[in-house]
Amino acid sequence: MTTIGGICGRIIAVKDETDSVIIETGSDRARLRIKRWAIGSVDTIHEEDA
């Protein structure tokens, strides 16, 4: 997913009570909590079965 600010990451948790998601980004796996309205796009990657 990509935020409206341009940060790319992988969603690892959804917090319904605070209307936010936690994303993991970068090679050091830094975690960020962002509001759902800040999600710009969701790019789903499907692995093909061999």
Side-chain angles (χ1 to χ4, degrees):
M1 62 136 290
T2 305
T3 68
I4 58 175
I7 299 172
C8 298
R10 181 176 62 131
I11 297 174
I12 58 170
V14 177
K15 303 289 185 178
D16 288 326
E17 61 276 359
T18 58
D19 198 33
S20 62
V21 296
I22 299 174
I23 65 170
E24 194 173 74
T25 184
S27 60
D28 60 350
R29 295 185 175 177
R31 293 184 177 186
L32 302 168
R33 180 179 294 178
I34 62 167
K35 293 291 187 177
R36 287 185 184 194
W37 58 261
I39 296 173
S41 66
V42 177
D43 307 316
T44 304
I45 299 173
H46 296 282
E47 295 182 12
E48 294 184 24
D49 295 326

